[in-house]
Amino acid sequence: MTDRPSAADCYPPAVLPSPERQLSLKGQKALVTGGSSGIGREIAIELGWAGADVVVNYNSGDEEAQEVVEAVEQRCGVRAYAHQADVSDEAAVQGMFQRIQETFGGIDILVANAGVQRDAAFDEMSLADWDMVLRVNLTGQFLCCREAVRAFRRKGVVPEVSCAAGKIICMSSVHDSIPWAGHANYAASKGGVLMMMKSLAQEVAAWRIRVNAISPGAVRTPINRDAWETPEAYHALMKLVPYNRIGEPSDIGRAAVWLASDYADYITGTTLYVDGGMMLYPGFEAGG
Ligand code: NAI
Ligand code: BGC
């Protein structure tokens, strides 16, 4: 890369955050992958509340995705549409970004959130389940991040819109750091997201592209229904959560809005753990 802009070119004093801008994402265009359910759904709505136009990506379940689009448009008064695409399919991802360019005229925020679990004991895990999780959770983020970086670099900084040329939030997990027996494919994918995010952040910071991750703890969504649906399961889960409540998707949605806003303009290459203290090794509270 030779066309590295000087800092002065992309961050003149005129683009310092102003009081009016605050947490507003007005005029910005956001893509949320896996936006039809759980955490992605709430992120799409929170981004809409903050004023961004939103693309709700999903893989299957047209009705669910359309319901999120209606919630965003009606509650938040911004534009939104649903786009079906498998994030692990290169051509489908490129088509999705092409449509954003044509419909919204560009993109300012990518939340690479789509993710799956296919759990199995290590010695029983099929190659298909290993590949599937790595393809969606890691390769899918690579493909979306790559298209976003291309679009951000073409556009550059638009000071009236944001201090940054673009913002990427990779949805990781506490399991980017906490080993997880029976979920080796999933933990490996999130560990991969951690280092992809940091390497990318280092590579594109000079273009005023910010790349960060959110690592949720246990959040009440369909992906982990078994962990919270019954009182017994919930009680067992709470042994891992010092704050003593499960996370709600809106806990993650609000964190994403802040991280995407100019309030977080000096933050890049970092992971925000939103986990009620799951990373605090609660087993050591009374032991060790
Ligand atoms: P969810 O199952 O409710 O939502 C997953 C979303 O990903 C859905 O919209 C689904 O359509 C989409 N998706 C799945 N495969 C896809 C593909 N190939 N292409 C496009 N979209 C696809 O699960 P949840 O919990 O909302 O998960 C969202 C993200 O948060 C995932 O990356 C997950 O690993 C992460 N996470 C979840 C936690 C939790 O406790 N719920 C904790 C830590 C991380
Ligand atoms: C997983 C959930 C789990 C949470 C905390 C997430 O990454 O997707 O199933 O409840 O981590 O262990």
Side-chain angles (χ1 to χ4, degrees):
M1 290 195 214
T2 51
D3 55 340
R4 186 186 178 101
S6 76
D9 286 338
C10 45
Y11 201 0
V15 304
L16 283 166
S18 64
E20 306 82 62
R21 184 172 293 140
Q22 301 226 347
L23 264 173
S24 168
L25 300 175
K26 206 165 177 355
Q28 301 198 40
K29 320 293 175 198
L31 166 63
V32 184
T33 69
S36 63
S37 170
I39 289 172
R41 176 184 192 279
E42 218 57 31
I43 290 175
I45 292 170
E46 292 284 350
L47 291 173
W49 265 121
D53 294 326
V54 182
V55 180
V56 177
N57 159 257
Y58 66 104
N59 191 30
S60 60
D62 303 352
E63 278 179 22
E64 251 190 329
Q66 202 48 46
E67 186 274 325
V68 180
V69 166
E70 281 161 25
V72 171
E73 285 185 323
Q74 287 165 15
R75 289 194 219 166
C76 314
V78 296
R79 292 187 295 165
Y81 67 84
H83 186 100
Q84 190 283 327
D86 176 349
V87 292
S88 69
D89 177 332
E90 184 176 29
V93 169
Q94 287 174 334
M96 177 162 67
F97 276 81
Q98 181 67 35
R99 183 174 170 202
I100 296 170
Q101 188 64 40
E102 289 162 7
T103 311
F104 283 168
I107 178 167
D108 305 283
I109 299 163
L110 164 67
V111 185
N113 165 77
V116 291
Q117 280 184 224
R118 292 288 182 277
D119 310 329
F122 197 85
D123 57 351
E124 285 168 13
M125 187 174 286
S126 67
L127 179 59
D129 280 352
W130 173 270
D131 279 345
M132 201 267 188
V133 170
L134 269 292
R135 278 193 69 79
V136 175
N137 295 11
L138 184 56
T139 306
Q141 291 210 13
F142 158 69
L143 290 171
C144 292
C145 290
R146 190 184 63 177
E147 293 313 306
V149 166
R150 288 172 175 169
F152 297 157
R153 286 195 58 184
R154 274 197 305 272
K155 173 173 67 71
V157 176
V158 181
E160 303 74 41
V161 174
S162 174
C163 297
K167 284 81 57 125
I168 294 175
I169 297 172
C170 297
M171 197 54 60
S172 188
S173 164
V174 289
H175 299 297
D176 60 14
S177 302
I178 300 179
W180 205 14
H183 310 258
N185 49 359
Y186 184 83
S189 74
K190 297 301 185 179
V193 165
L194 175 69
M195 283 312 290
M196 184 195 72
M197 177 279 289
K198 281 176 176 274
S199 303
L200 175 57
Q202 188 189 63
E203 193 166 323
V204 298
W207 280 271
R208 294 283 185 245
I209 298 170
R210 295 195 295 109
V211 188
N212 292 289
I214 294 177
S215 284
V219 179
R220 193 196 307 271
T221 76
I223 211 174
N224 58 356
R225 192 177 291 283
D226 289 352
W228 51 261
E229 203 168 36
T230 64
E232 297 73 27
Y234 191 87
H235 181 71
L237 181 63
M238 286 308 105
K239 292 190 178 139
L240 301 173
V241 186
Y243 206 62
N244 205 30
R245 74 162 170 85
I246 194 168
E248 300 296 342
S250 57
D251 289 316
I252 312 303
R254 286 190 292 267
V257 169
W258 176 76
L259 210 41
S261 79
D262 283 353
Y263 266 25
D265 187 56
Y266 208 47
I267 298 177
T268 193
T270 203
T271 297
L272 183 59
Y273 289 89
V274 184
D275 66 350
M278 200 173 232
M279 289 285 285
L280 298 175
Y281 295 93
F284 278 82
E285 196 183 335

